[in-house]
Amino acid sequence: MWGCTFPSFFPYKICHSCFRRQDKLQRCGQCKFAQYCDKTCQSAGWKEHKLECGAIKAFGAIGDNFGKAPNENIRLAARIMWRLDKEGGVMSDMQMTSLDDLENHISDMPEDDLKELKVDIHNFLDYWPRNSKQHRVDDISHIFGVINCNGFTVSDQRGLNAVGVGLFPNLCLVNHDCWPNCTVILNHGNQSAVNTVYHSQMRIELRALGKIELGEEVTVSYVDFLNVTEDRQRQLKMHYFFDCTCEHCKGHIKDDLKMGGKEVDGVKVPEEQVKEVTEYSLQMLQKMDKARMEGNYHEVIKICRECMEKQEPVLADTHIYQLRMWSTASEVLAYLQFIDEAADYARKMVDGYNKLYHPCNAHLGMATMRAGVTHWQAGKIEVGHGMICKAYAILQRTHGPTHPITKDLEAMRMQTEMELRMFRENEYIYKSMREAALKNQPMSMMNEPMAESVKNLFRRQKK
């Protein structure tokens, strides 16, 4: 396994060792780029960082690069090359393939991607230390090509935001299916305990979503199923250079739900009206994304409300553009502390997801968890507890019982179960205690909504 954090993703701050999101981090005293929770995390990350530390410092002293670190692909390629120089092509008995055997698809790349590849190689050669073993440009190109089509999105410890890119050779052998029987999760392990005896290593886990029959191929999904067949196939062809022929693609399964119109008393909204609102929604989503990237969250809500007013009488509750609006509205409203309204949109979002996603889909589990927490914060304890229990059941399967997210969710489940008992015994006393608690200790702000969420399993460079 090799991994690198994104170098320029820091409107929020992430520890480069454990990937926890922290307000206060300690920077490496040498390169001034790497940052850590504390000395324990810095020590745990030193093995990976020690070679790149001097290289980052030297790179940042070169002309136009002054004060900068190379991008994540360059840093990951360098980490790979250092590991190969030290340990060879096969790192352990558990590794089933070598990097030399993996496809780089350089010959399939469009012209614009080839130009970006040449720029990365040029910057890599500036970054690579003169006292390290020198490599042929063809070998360097191969590593970049492999990263480009096999790079894996690394998330923070909460699994909500993309913070880096990694390469896992064994995972590259698992083929795609839009309705897979497995999922891939990065378990960050535990490197923060003071006593190193309790440390556990970061690892990639291939987890079954249900029973897999003898002889059945193990598959994962490279793209989010919450796209229509045409868009999924376009992404797969563009990014991974193959045509998907899975059953869901051949049958265009659930496409009618994802782009469908509303049905009222057995009467469907005319297709022309559905098409018109769909096109309008796409334009509004682009405006909303722009406002969100700029951190203008009140404008985001204004756009969402304006769009949803036109969507709700026309589009089905499974229409993916309406689901995106509900998802964004619930997240941003929760951040702005409009909790009741956020909970309503979160419930609608989860209801739609349940009709589209595999019942053990990790995205469904995470969305249900977020909706459950929002309902809990809104004081809707019965609905909140039910959602949290459902999310816990999904994440037990997708993430496993030892994953930090699952452990956090288990604590939430126990807390809401206790509160639900109090609520059922005496609703008036429960609400009075809740109001008193909120007056004494105001509800903390939710995390700032992030523009880069983890949706696609395998990571592509942003265009």
Side-chain angles (χ1 to χ4, degrees), residues 15-57:
C15 172
H16 284 202
S17 179
C18 71
F19 299 135
R20 282 193 178 92
R21 182 175 171 171
Q22 303 279 7
D23 290 330
K24 294 182 179 179
L25 292 165
Q26 300 175 12
R27 288 194 180 274
C28 171
Q30 293 298 314
C31 68
K32 309 297 184 185
F33 170 73
Q35 49 190 15
Y36 304 96
C37 299
D38 49 33
K39 293 290 185 183
T40 303
C41 278
Q42 187 170 11
S43 297
W46 181 242
K47 181 180 177 182
E48 290 284 357
H49 181 59
K50 64 181 179 180
L51 287 171
E52 73 175 4
C53 183
I56 291 172
K57 184 178 180 181

Side-chain angles (χ1 to χ4, degrees), residues 26-143:
Q26 300 175 12
R27 288 194 180 274
C28 171
Q30 293 298 314
C31 68
K32 309 297 184 185
F33 170 73
Q35 49 190 15
Y36 304 96
C37 299
D38 49 33
K39 293 290 185 183
T40 303
C41 278
Q42 187 170 11
S43 297
W46 181 242
K47 181 180 177 182
E48 290 284 357
H49 181 59
K50 64 181 179 180
L51 287 171
E52 73 175 4
C53 183
I56 291 172
K57 184 178 180 181
F59 182 83
I62 300 174
D64 294 339
N65 301 327
F66 185 76
K68 299 178 182 178
N71 69 39
E72 67 276 5
N73 276 11
I74 294 170
R75 292 177 52 232
L76 178 56
R79 285 191 175 191
I80 291 170
M81 299 298 264
W82 279 316
R83 288 275 299 272
L84 290 173
D85 290 345
K86 182 180 178 181
E87 302 176 22
V90 178
M91 307 297 174
S92 72
D93 294 339
M94 299 296 290
Q95 187 174 323
M96 295 183 286
T97 187
S98 69
L99 288 180
D100 289 340
D101 294 331
L102 296 176
E103 291 283 347
N104 59 46
H105 287 289
I106 290 175
S107 61
D108 299 316
M109 286 184 181
E111 187 175 345
D112 287 347
D113 285 359
L114 285 173
K115 287 179 180 178
E116 289 185 14
L117 176 65
K118 289 177 181 177
V119 171
D120 276 348
I121 293 171
H122 174 80
N123 288 331
F124 176 88
L125 294 172
D126 282 343
Y127 175 62
W128 187 250
R130 298 294 177 261
N131 59 354
S132 291
K133 179 182 175 181
Q134 300 302 302
H135 295 273
R136 297 183 310 127
V137 171
D138 285 351
D139 295 333
I140 298 168
S141 299
H142 176 72
I143 295 296

Side-chain angles (χ1 to χ4, degrees), residues 229-439:
T229 299
E230 183 181 352
D231 288 342
R232 292 198 312 273
Q233 290 192 325
R234 178 181 51 79
Q235 291 173 27
L236 291 166
K237 186 66 173 179
M238 183 185 300
H239 298 161
Y240 308 107
F241 310 103
F242 70 88
D243 297 306
C244 183
T245 57
C246 74
E247 292 302 317
H248 277 68
C249 280
K250 286 192 291 187
H252 294 264
I253 296 174
K254 300 199 177 187
D255 282 1
D256 56 335
L257 297 177
K258 294 175 187 178
M259 283 291 173
K262 196 164 190 173
E263 187 174 318
V264 181
D265 298 329
V267 179
K268 292 184 177 181
V269 173
E271 287 188 17
E272 193 60 39
Q273 195 175 351
V274 173
K275 182 180 178 182
E276 180 183 335
V277 175
T278 296
E279 290 173 354
Y280 167 80
S281 299
L282 184 57
Q283 294 171 5
M284 296 299 279
L285 283 167
Q286 291 167 351
K287 288 183 180 180
M288 181 264 291
D289 286 339
K290 183 176 183 292
R292 191 174 181 178
M293 289 290 291
E294 293 169 350
N296 189 350
Y297 298 125
H298 289 283
E299 180 64 18
V300 169
I301 293 304
K302 180 183 175 183
I303 292 168
C304 285
R305 284 174 173 154
E306 184 181 333
C307 185
M308 290 185 297
E309 187 177 348
K310 292 194 175 184
Q311 287 178 330
E312 295 201 29
V314 176
L315 303 185
D317 60 4
T318 52
H319 194 293
I320 54 177
Y321 293 168
Q322 183 159 238
L323 289 174
R324 275 193 63 190
M325 282 293 176
W326 286 339
S327 175
T328 301
S330 67
E331 186 179 355
V332 177
L333 284 166
Y335 173 69
L336 296 175
Q337 295 294 280
F338 297 102
I339 303 298
D340 287 337
E341 191 178 359
D344 289 341
Y345 289 127
R347 178 186 50 77
K348 291 179 179 181
M349 171 193 70
V350 169
D351 287 347
Y353 283 3
N354 277 316
K355 296 173 184 177
L356 297 177
Y357 274 128
H358 186 289
C360 282
N361 184 281
H363 299 321
L364 173 62
M366 297 296 291
T368 306
M369 177 182 74
R370 179 159 65 86
V373 172
T374 305
H375 279 78
W376 177 23
Q377 290 179 328
K380 301 175 181 179
I381 187 64
E382 291 180 298
V383 177
H385 177 68
M387 286 183 168
I388 286 171
C389 287
K390 181 172 182 180
Y392 181 68
I394 296 172
L395 267 60
Q396 280 269 61
R397 174 75 71 175
T398 60
H399 289 63
T402 65
H403 196 284
I405 298 173
T406 314
K407 288 183 175 180
D408 284 352
L409 197 51
E410 183 178 20
M412 291 182 207
R413 183 177 61 87
M414 293 171 67
Q415 173 70 21
T416 54
E417 185 175 350
M418 179 188 70
E419 290 188 22
L420 184 58
R421 282 201 300 268
M422 292 173 59
F423 174 82
R424 286 172 173 168
E425 287 171 4
N426 193 314
E427 182 178 344
Y428 175 78
I429 292 178
Y430 168 75
K431 289 185 175 179
S432 299
M433 291 176 63
R434 174 182 168 80
E435 287 176 10
L438 290 176
K439 285 179 182 177

